[in-house]
Amino acid sequence: MGDIHIGEAKENIARTGFLDVDVDPSLDLFGEIERLKKEKNAIVLAHYYQEPDIQDVADYIGDSLGLAQKAEKTDADIIVFAGVHFMAETAKILNPNKKVLLPDLKAGCSLADSAPPELFRQFKAKHPDHLVISYINCTADIKALSDIICTSSNAEKIVESIPVDQPIIFAPDKNLGSYLIKKTGRNMVLWNGACMVHEIFSLEKLTRLKIRHPKAKIIAHPECEEPILRIADYIGSTTGLLKYSQEDDAKEYIVATETGILHQMQKARPDKTFIPAPPDNSCACNDCPHMKLNTLEKLYLCMEYELPEITMDEKLRLAARKPIERMLEISAKYGL
């Protein structure tokens, strides 16, 4: 692998999003990644929606809350984030002096993209007396415009921690917002955003699947649309769904969230059956195209060459950090 090749690949990152370099097919990537972790004092944080190989090589696998907490506490010099862009940004916001790497910069998020900062700033200005709670699945710019960040694991507790007479804007996920209005009884103003993965589940196909598996329990993420949540036996964050499937006494589950979590469910309970809920398209399961942009090869290259790196304007970082710190404080208070 010549220097010119790597030099070109580095120059092309802005266009490609990743280091487009050929990897020797005889390399043991699992072994190489373990070697690089030790040599560089690096930690690999992976979201549950990553491909199984990445989950298996990660030092920590979690949902957005767990990943943010782990990123805040790590003493590694390099944080390699196998997830999407806003997650790596969150790690950088919490760790200005550490190098934060993302295998593919184009691993975006349809939900984060649904809240353009300038439009959200105008929306916020129309509700000047409202406190802004934003779901962590948003850009650093939206975090900087927020008062508190939440995740699906702690959203209910965070909403309930706000005085009843304080009006709230909830952004960017309208489905999670609607679910929280039902759960807490708080009348919040919702931004009209959504996650493409959780919006695409087909109620008709899910109902047919349930008829074929009458003993299966339907478990769903609160980013799903209301008709799906209405027929769910359990609604919870990614970690909540994983925990429920381990501790509950059913033997079969229809899982309405991104399919990456099924790998951990099956590992934890090989005696149970996990069926991905069907989306409203020709596919049998529902993968997030952004999450799945990261591959083991990209992860290895990113660690070997320490690129692509997440950088951020310091003023933006400080503004975005405040609402995340409030979230971590409230979460700690409730033992989440």
Side-chain angles (χ1 to χ4, degrees):
M1 179 186 312
D3 287 340
I4 297 172
H5 190 179
I6 246 307
E8 281 177 12
K10 286 176 179 175
E11 282 170 22
N12 290 338
I13 282 178
R15 182 175 54 80
T16 59
F18 64 98
L19 274 175
D20 192 7
V21 176
D22 291 330
V23 176
D24 180 350
S26 67
L27 267 187
D28 169 14
L29 291 180
F30 287 94
E32 288 297 307
I33 288 167
E34 289 305 328
R35 173 183 67 79
L36 289 165
K37 280 186 205 175
K38 291 188 183 81
E39 280 180 15
K40 302 188 177 208
N41 187 25
I43 188 171
V44 176
L45 305 180
H47 192 274
Y48 285 126
Y49 298 166
Q50 292 294 289
E51 62 171 50
D53 279 352
I54 290 179
Q55 291 188 39
D56 290 344
V57 82
D59 297 293
Y60 177 82
I61 310 158
D63 62 4
S64 296
L65 176 60
L67 290 165
Q69 288 168 329
K70 200 75 182 171
E72 186 198 29
K73 292 184 175 80
T74 186
D75 56 3
D77 296 317
I78 297 176
I79 298 171
V80 189
F81 221 111
V84 291
H85 200 276
F86 79 80
M87 295 176 175
E89 261 189 352
T90 303
K92 187 64 183 178
I93 290 164
L94 294 168
N95 293 281
N97 301 320
K98 295 184 193 298
K99 188 174 271 194
V100 178
L101 307 174
L102 181 68
D104 193 326
L105 291 174
K106 288 201 163 45
C109 170
S110 57
L111 178 53
D113 291 345
S114 71
E118 202 38 61
L119 290 179
F120 188 73
R121 193 176 279 109
Q122 292 167 23
F123 180 77
K124 184 183 168 182
K126 287 179 185 166
H127 305 277
D129 56 340
H130 285 53
L131 180 133
V132 179
I133 300 178
S134 289
Y135 190 32
I136 199 165
N137 299 36
C138 64
T139 61
D141 292 289
I142 298 298
K143 286 181 176 75
L145 290 166
S146 307
D147 297 293
I148 312 178
I149 297 302
C150 74
T151 72
S152 49
S153 294
N154 61 22
E156 199 178 325
K157 287 280 184 239
I158 282 175
V159 171
E160 286 171 346
S161 75
I162 307 303
V164 181
D165 58 351
Q166 170 62 59
I168 297 170
I169 289 173
F170 187 86
D173 193 300
K174 63 180 180 188
N175 293 321
L176 178 58
S178 299
Y179 171 73
L180 289 168
I181 288 170
K182 276 206 177 72
K183 288 288 282 183
T184 65
R186 297 294 291 271
N187 184 24
M188 302 188 289
V189 175
L190 304 181
W191 175 264
N192 187 23
C195 160
M196 63 189 281
V197 172
H198 290 96
E199 279 229 310
I200 205 173
F201 289 115
S202 162
L203 182 62
E204 188 188 338
K205 286 184 184 176
L206 186 55
T207 308
R208 286 207 298 267
L209 189 60
K210 175 74 175 171
I211 291 164
R212 290 207 304 277
H213 300 271
K215 290 184 177 171
K217 283 191 175 177
I218 297 170
I219 59 175
H221 194 283
E223 285 179 40
C224 293
E225 291 187 310
E226 201 274 331
I228 302 293
L229 298 181
R230 205 184 312 139
I231 63 165
D233 296 287
Y234 174 79
I235 301 164
S237 67
T238 322
T239 301
L241 298 177
L242 181 58
K243 197 173 173 200
Y244 180 82
S245 70
Q246 287 173 19
E247 296 172 357
D248 181 63
D249 55 8
K251 289 290 174 198
E252 226 177 345
Y253 299 87
I254 297 167
V255 185
T257 189
E258 213 273 355
T259 52
I261 189 63
L262 271 70
H263 179 58
Q264 293 301 322
M265 288 177 170
Q266 204 69 71
K267 271 173 80 171
R269 291 301 301 261
D271 56 318
K272 294 189 176 192
T273 303
F274 299 98
I275 308 155
D280 197 12
N281 57 25
S282 57
C283 301
C285 62
N286 202 0
D287 286 348
C288 170
H290 302 290
M291 284 283 186
K292 298 303 195 268
L293 279 178
N294 294 317
T295 63
L296 203 60
E297 287 81 5
K298 287 178 187 174
L299 181 65
Y300 160 70
L301 288 167
C302 154
M303 292 181 75
E304 177 70 64
Y305 297 103
E306 299 180 19
L307 284 169
E309 184 182 355
I310 298 289
T311 56
M312 194 176 299
D313 171 74
E314 183 62 5
K315 194 175 164 191
L316 172 63
R317 189 193 72 78
L318 290 170
R321 185 180 174 112
K322 280 183 195 155
I324 298 173
E325 283 178 338
R326 282 197 71 183
M327 171 187 83
L328 293 170
E329 282 162 20
I330 295 166
S331 298
K333 182 180 155 191
Y334 287 105
L336 296 168

